[in-house]
């Protein structure tokens, strides 16, 4: 595979950007080599600066559920750009998108647009702390909720698992307010809430974990979170930045029938442009300025271009049969990939909810961060690069989700399944 143009750009990038990237995972550190520099993309394909073409299952980390450069989305962006790119003032576009979100997501009556998932989560935590007057936040090991200070916290030692900063720059006194529990561990949740539930402002969870690879919730897990937070007077925050509009029009909360107090969204609702959002009941959201006293603001929040793109995406998602199509395509791919590992005798575990999926090179049952950490990341590294040579682009990390779009053709899915045989053999040699 030719890479001279990407290889020329990377040192230039590293001169002027940290690690040559604007987000760490793009640096390919987990899979060796140098990042690809992408020149264009259309449908299910991305093309790099050396002209290499790949079938893409990263989908810009989730947003592109209708593939790249979807004609209706591009047309909406162009049309709006000719009317102006940003006004810093109210528009009907943002009302339309908010109405679509409210109509689709069961727990949301009122929603605030922001510019990223991180911003949505940061705002949701401030809102929960503002409403309850409490400081503590509960999260789960291996779940990622953006780079807000309260969330870059790992489990400390000792029983109470007081949070410790995950990186320099996080104030310890803030980190200590964040408690980490093992995902899917109902007893650990009940123990913590029994011990200190009345000090907890909120528990935040990815209802389907997507940032340690995909891990579905165990039966009863989400129900226990709802029950324990309600009992304790703490807010339940669903971080649906990935799962929102991905696994159903109403997100994971619709799929599992759980009503959180606050929902964070992003990715898909921006149609590939920068959008985040958080929402909940009117009672909860009226605490947010300018109605309430919990302050949150943003120059480009509700940006007309992003709203125009998001409106098209939600219209497309509302068409009958879209989620069945995503389910069929995703099942076909994952069944094919799983068959290959079985026939080649490669230890692998597959997880999938709708069109988000993962493949772990381990024999361990997949249920939490500890279990996925048994994956053979060196094998994954060879597999990733083998797929790349075959024209297939998956996330450059074992601990990320794969995404199917409504645009991937059966032929491309078959091509991916065939390519994975070669990649598995190359990885195994
Ligand atoms: P952003 O700030 O990156 O828009 O969203 C943060 C975020 C919040 N919550 C969840 C569940 C998320 O998955 C994310 C961001 N996801 C990562 C990839 N899994 C973004 C990729 C990156 O960091 O470059």
């Amino acid at each position: 595979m030719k890479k001279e143009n990407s290889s020329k750009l990377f040192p230039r990038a590293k001169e002027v950007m940290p690690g040559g990237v604007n987000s760490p995972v793009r640096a390919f550190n987990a899979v060796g080599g140098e990042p690809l520099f992408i020149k264009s993309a259309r449908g299910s394909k991305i093309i790099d600066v050396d002209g290499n073409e790949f079938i893409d299952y990263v989908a810009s980390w989730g947003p592109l559920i209708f593939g790249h450069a979807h004609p209706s989305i591009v047309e909406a962006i162009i049309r709006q750009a000719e009317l102006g790119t940003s006004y810093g003032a109210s528009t009907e576009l943002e009302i339309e998108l908010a109405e679509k979100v409210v109509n689709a997501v069961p727990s949301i009556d009122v929603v605030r647009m922001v510019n990223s998932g991180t911003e949505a989560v940061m705002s949701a935590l401030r809102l929960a702390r503002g409403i309850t007057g409490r400081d503590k936040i509960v999260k789960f090991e291996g779940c990622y909720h953006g780079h807000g200070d309260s969330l870059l916290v790992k489990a400390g030692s000792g029983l109470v698992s007081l949070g410790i900063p995950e990186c320099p720059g996080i104030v310890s006194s803030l980190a200590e307010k964040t408690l980490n529990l093992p995902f899917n561990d109902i007893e650990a949740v009940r123990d913590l809430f029994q011990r200190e539930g009345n000090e907890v402002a909120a528990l935040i969870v990815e209802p389907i974990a997507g940032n340690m690879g995909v891990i579905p919730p165990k039966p009863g897990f989400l129900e226990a979170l709802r029950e324990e937070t309600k009992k304790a007077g703490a807010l339940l925050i669903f971080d649906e930045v990935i799962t929102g509009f991905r696994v159903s029009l109403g997100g994971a909360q619709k799929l599992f029938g759980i009503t959180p107090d606050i929902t964070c969204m992003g990715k898909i609702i921006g149609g590939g442009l920068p959008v985040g959002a958080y929402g909940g009941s009117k009672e909860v959201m009226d605490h947010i300025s300018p109605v309430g006293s919990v302050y949150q603001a943003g120059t480009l929040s509700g940006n007309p271009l992003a709203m125009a793109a998001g409106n098209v995406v939600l219209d497309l998602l509302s068409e009958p049969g879209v989620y069945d199509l995503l389910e069929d395509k995703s099942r076909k791919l994952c069944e094919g990939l799983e068959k290959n590992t079985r026939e080649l005798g490669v230890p692998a575990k597959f997880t999938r909810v709708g069109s988000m999926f993962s493949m772990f090179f381990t024999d361990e049952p997949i249920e939490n961060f500890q279990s996925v950490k048994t994956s053979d990341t060196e094998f994954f590294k060879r597999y990733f690069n083998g797929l790349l040579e075959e024209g297939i682009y998956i996330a450059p990390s074992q601990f990320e989700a794969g995404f199917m779009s409504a645009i991937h053709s059966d032929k491309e899915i078959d091509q991916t399944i065939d390519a994975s045989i070669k990649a598995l053999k190359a990885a195994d040699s």
Side-chain angles (χ1 to χ4, degrees), residues 95-276:
I95 303 173
E96 288 168 353
L97 187 56
E99 286 169 342
K100 291 182 172 95
V101 170
V102 166
N103 291 336
V105 185
S107 65
I108 296 182
D109 300 330
V110 176
V111 60
R112 168 63 59 85
M113 301 293 170
V114 293
N115 296 286
S116 71
T118 294
E119 208 183 335
V121 168
M122 278 168 54
S123 309
L125 291 195
R126 183 181 309 133
L127 174 56
R129 284 169 161 156
I131 291 174
T132 60
R134 301 174 181 178
D135 295 345
K136 288 185 178 176
I137 298 293
V138 181
K139 68 178 284 290
F140 294 91
E141 284 166 323
C143 285
Y144 175 71
H145 304 286
H147 62 86
D149 282 2
S150 285
L151 284 311
L152 289 184
V153 174
K154 58 189 176 191
S157 57
L159 261 182
V160 187
S161 73
L162 274 184
I164 54 177
E166 201 154 286
C167 71
I170 310 289
V171 174
S172 301
S173 57
L174 180 64
E176 285 167 9
K177 305 293 185 191
T178 300
L179 309 175
N180 272 282
L181 294 175
F183 188 73
N184 271 327
D185 188 334
I186 295 175
E187 281 324 302
V189 172
R190 295 201 192 284
D191 288 350
L192 185 146
F193 272 86
Q194 191 172 7
R195 236 184 7 254
E196 49 196 302
N198 60 356
E199 297 173 55
V200 174
L203 177 148
I204 184 167
V205 68
E206 294 177 62
I208 301 162
N211 283 288
M212 40 182 156
V214 175
I215 305 185
K218 268 183 174 171
F221 176 60
L222 297 178
E223 291 78 359
L225 301 185
R226 181 62 288 177
E227 184 189 333
E228 290 300 329
T229 47
K230 200 176 280 288
K231 263 190 325 190
L235 275 69
L236 176 60
I237 301 174
F238 268 16
D239 179 347
E240 297 221 42
V241 168
I242 287 183
T243 56
F245 301 103
R246 169 59 62 181
V247 296
S248 94
L249 195 60
Q253 58 191 267
K254 183 77 177 281
L255 211 57
F256 293 106
I258 303 285
T259 304
D261 298 301
I262 303 174
T263 301
C264 301
M265 290 169 287
K267 296 187 194 268
I268 286 175
I269 57 169
L273 271 69
V275 178

